[in-house]
Amino acid sequence: MKKKKAPPPPATAPADPHQWSEQSQAAVAASFRTHYSDKAYRCRHCSGDALFSAAEQKIVYEVKKAHIGVQRVLCGACWRDGHVVAQKIADCEARWAESKQVLAHDAAFLSAWHALLLLHQRYGAKADSAAKNMLRKLLDRIVGEDAHIE
């Protein structure tokens, strides 16, 4: 009978808490963290297996100055997809700022923007209730106007 190979031990990288953000340096972890270790996790969006490597942790905490309590919840692909959705939302907001009067009657634009907001939440973004409510009211108004036309 073949023995299963044991998984390799997690990789490590030395930690330098003096490079952390001021808030992280004030955390309890600053007094005892000597290294980072690979951390396996399941992506919140696609449920795939992912790894927050020790080398990535070193960059995130020491170079980018993210708080030491920040953990990954999205795999790389889902994280990138979430940023694409965020950019599309920003594009919608820019178009809206330029042409509110016209776009307030454009059901396709309003529906697409609303769908992007809902999708962004699935990637872990906070709900933008104000924008969603505004879009819903505008869409309801358009549907009401269309009903009066017929």
Side-chain angles (χ1 to χ4, degrees):
M1 188 185 287
K2 290 185 179 180
K3 288 185 179 179
K4 288 185 179 181
K5 288 186 180 179
T12 62
D16 183 0
H18 297 293
Q19 298 299 316
W20 294 353
S21 68
E22 287 183 28
Q23 277 189 321
S24 293
Q25 288 182 30
V28 175
S31 62
F32 65 86
R33 178 74 54 97
T34 60
H35 66 280
Y36 306 106
S37 297
D38 288 351
K39 293 182 182 179
Y41 65 98
R42 187 166 302 278
C43 177
R44 181 185 295 172
H45 183 73
C46 72
S47 299
D49 292 332
L51 183 73
F52 190 16
S53 74
E56 288 173 319
Q57 291 174 56
K58 187 166 184 70
I59 292 168
V60 167
Y61 301 134
E62 296 180 15
V63 177
K64 294 181 178 179
K65 307 295 185 194
H67 191 274
I68 192 67
V70 170
Q71 299 297 317
R72 293 267 171 92
V73 294
L74 297 175
C75 66
C78 289
W79 184 84
R80 285 186 294 280
D81 291 347
H83 277 276
V84 168
V85 171
Q87 183 56 54
K88 288 179 180 179
I89 291 170
D91 293 345
C92 289
E93 291 168 346
R95 283 186 62 200
W96 179 254
E98 291 175 8
S99 309
K100 284 182 189 176
Q101 299 299 337
V102 174
L103 294 174
H105 302 284
D106 185 341
F109 170 79
L110 298 172
S111 294
W113 187 5
H114 189 262
L116 287 168
L117 291 171
L118 294 174
L119 179 59
H120 200 217
Q121 278 183 252
R122 290 182 31 213
Y123 284 102
K126 290 183 180 177
D128 187 346
S129 298
K132 287 192 313 186
N133 289 337
M134 175 194 72
L135 294 169
R136 188 79 261 145
K137 286 179 183 177
L138 290 169
L139 285 165
D140 288 346
R141 186 180 312 153
I142 291 170
V143 169
E145 290 171 0
D146 290 346
H148 293 300
I149 293 171
E150 294 177 6

